[in-house]
């Protein structure tokens, strides 16, 4: 399989707190989540990363193969571990605690990139987390972007701001530089407000269009998504559900949106589908387990429209 979408970043084993206080093990990592979401929805997807030659790394390899994510560009290394994180839930939402220092993915650099695979990809998806985990990882993302752009592919970038990983000044500098080379901007509203210093969603969309992005999909939580291009913009309404866990809802949106873009949908149609997929992903616990398949999203849309 030649992937249409290649995702690059760090997978992490997840321990998600349940209402009884116990932790449910699962798989996470924003770009890995995106890859799985897109694959479940019918896209041809591959992943670029390093994981440890350990139990957690083996678990990810098995997961990706089960989900139909191509692992040709995944490397297992014996001198570094696979990262893990914990999710706790409280009145202010979910909170993440990371144990990733020195992880296999954080040691990746530009020389580790699979150049031929990147040249063949239609879309490369990366995120702020992909760049925040280390300076070498940040450089790897910039190099991957240039390889894909030079070959005629497109770049998708989710800001996914995590201030536990880097200070806001560096986050702004790096993500703005990456967004200036991106074709599809996928910021969340709260991230974008911190990164741009702007409050109004339309002003934020204008900011990213001004950097050079062709499509801005600014997610607004339950309110849906603002889709903006140089020619047109629309707010695509969110889908109401009784959510139990919003972990990775943004990643589910990304994967669903990109799966429809490579299928030929315009960004407004893609956002309608992605909003529904993201809503459905909040109906169960964990990042991966609740991510829907295409028939479930289609049925949900039919029921609500």
């Amino acid at each position: 399989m030649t992937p249409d979408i290649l995702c690059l970043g760090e997978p992490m084993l997840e321990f998600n707190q349940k209402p009884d206080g116990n932790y449910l093990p699962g798989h996470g990592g924003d770009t890995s989540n995106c890859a799985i979401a897109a694959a479940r929805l019918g896209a041809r997807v591959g992943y670029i990363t390093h994981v440890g030659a350990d139990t957690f790394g083996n678990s990810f390899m098995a997961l990706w193969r089960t989900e139909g994510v191509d692992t040709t560009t995944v490397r297992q290394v014996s001198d570094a571990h696979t990262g893990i994180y914990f999710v706790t839930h409280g009145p202010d939402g979910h909170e993440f605690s990371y144990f990733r220092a020195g992880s296999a993915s954080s040691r990746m650099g530009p020389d580790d990139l699979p150049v031929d695979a990147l040249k063949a990809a239609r879309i490369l998806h990366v995120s702020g987390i992909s760049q925040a985990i280390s300076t070498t990882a940040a450089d790897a993302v910039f190099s991957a972007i240039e390889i894909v752009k030079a070959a005629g592919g497109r770049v998708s970038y989710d800001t996914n701001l995590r201030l536990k990983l880097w200070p806001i000044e560096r986050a702004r500098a790096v993500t703005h530089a990456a967004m200036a080379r991106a074709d599809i901007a996928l910021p969340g509203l709260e991230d974008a407000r911190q990164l741009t210093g702007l409050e109004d969603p339309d002003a934020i969309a204008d900011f990213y269009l001004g950097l050079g992005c062709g499509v801005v999909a600014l997610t607004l939580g339950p309110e849906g998504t603002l889709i903006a291009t140089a020619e047109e913009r629309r707010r695509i309404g969110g889908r109401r559900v009784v959510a139990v866990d919003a972990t990775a809802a943004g990643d589910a949106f990304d994967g669903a949106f990109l799966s429809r873009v490579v299928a030929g949908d315009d960004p407004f149609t893609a956002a309608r589908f992605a909003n529904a997929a993201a809503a459905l992903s909040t109906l169960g616990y964990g990042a991966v387990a609740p991510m829907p398949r295409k028939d479930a999203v289609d049925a949900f849309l039919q029921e609500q429209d």
Side-chain angles (χ1 to χ4, degrees):
M1 177 185 77
T2 301
D4 290 322
I5 302 168
L6 272 178
C7 300
L8 187 159
E10 180 177 37
M12 303 188 75
L13 200 79
E14 171 193 88
F15 292 92
N16 200 309
Q17 188 181 40
K18 298 188 294 182
D20 63 7
N22 292 319
Y23 285 84
L24 178 71
H27 299 87
D30 63 338
T31 55
S32 175
N33 297 337
C34 174
I36 292 168
R40 285 192 180 180
L41 295 167
R44 297 187 300 179
V45 188
Y47 199 54
I48 301 172
T49 194
H50 288 181
V51 294
D54 51 31
T55 300
F56 295 162
N58 294 339
S59 179
F60 270 106
M61 296 298 286
L63 171 73
W64 291 321
R65 288 166 183 153
T66 298
E67 295 290 348
V69 175
D70 189 283
T71 59
T72 304
T73 52
V74 175
R75 181 181 166 197
Q76 284 192 274
V77 299
S78 59
D79 61 346
H81 64 276
T82 305
I84 64 172
Y85 72 98
F86 293 82
V87 186
T88 54
H89 303 274
D92 297 325
H94 52 280
E95 182 175 343
F96 298 87
S97 299
Y98 300 99
F99 296 86
R100 67 183 352 142
S103 70
S105 300
S106 71
R107 296 187 180 188
M108 285 183 64
D111 292 341
D112 297 309
L113 294 173
V115 175
D116 290 342
L118 287 164
K119 288 180 177 178
R122 292 173 60 189
I123 295 178
L124 168 69
H125 176 71
V126 290
S127 77
I129 294 176
S130 303
Q131 296 196 283
I133 55 177
S134 70
T135 55
T136 59
D139 291 343
V141 170
F142 281 125
S143 294
I145 288 171
E146 293 310 314
I147 293 167
V148 170
K149 298 283 286 187
R154 303 169 75 188
V155 173
S156 162
Y157 195 99
D158 186 330
T159 49
N160 231 346
L161 180 64
R162 296 289 185 271
L163 292 178
K164 289 183 178 180
L165 295 177
W166 54 359
I168 188 64
E169 294 80 8
R170 176 166 169 77
R172 285 178 179 143
V174 173
T175 58
H176 291 351
M179 279 289 200
R181 297 293 289 149
D183 301 279
I184 301 170
L186 296 167
L189 180 59
E190 292 309 311
D191 287 0
R193 283 173 168 165
Q194 293 183 77
L195 288 166
T196 67
L198 302 169
E199 287 293 318
D200 179 65
D202 283 295
I204 290 168
D206 289 338
F207 176 87
Y208 288 114
L209 290 172
L211 288 180
C213 301
V215 176
V216 178
L218 176 64
T219 51
L220 308 172
E223 300 308 310
T225 305
L226 172 62
I227 299 293
T229 69
E231 297 78 26
E232 184 179 1
R233 69 183 60 193
R234 298 182 211 163
R235 291 203 183 205
I236 311 299
R239 301 286 167 165
R240 301 293 177 177
V241 295
V242 181
V244 298
D245 181 10
T247 303
D251 306 332
F253 177 93
D254 292 352
F257 186 82
L258 297 177
S259 77
R260 297 316 305 163
V261 169
V262 296
D265 285 358
D266 63 65
F268 307 101
T269 304
R272 173 180 175 271
F273 182 88
N275 282 349
L280 289 174
S281 76
T282 69
L283 298 181
Y285 288 96
V288 170
M291 286 182 175
R293 300 191 184 274
K294 188 173 184 300
D295 56 352
V297 180
D298 289 339
F300 182 58
L301 284 168
Q302 189 172 22
E303 289 170 4
Q304 293 216 338
D305 289 345

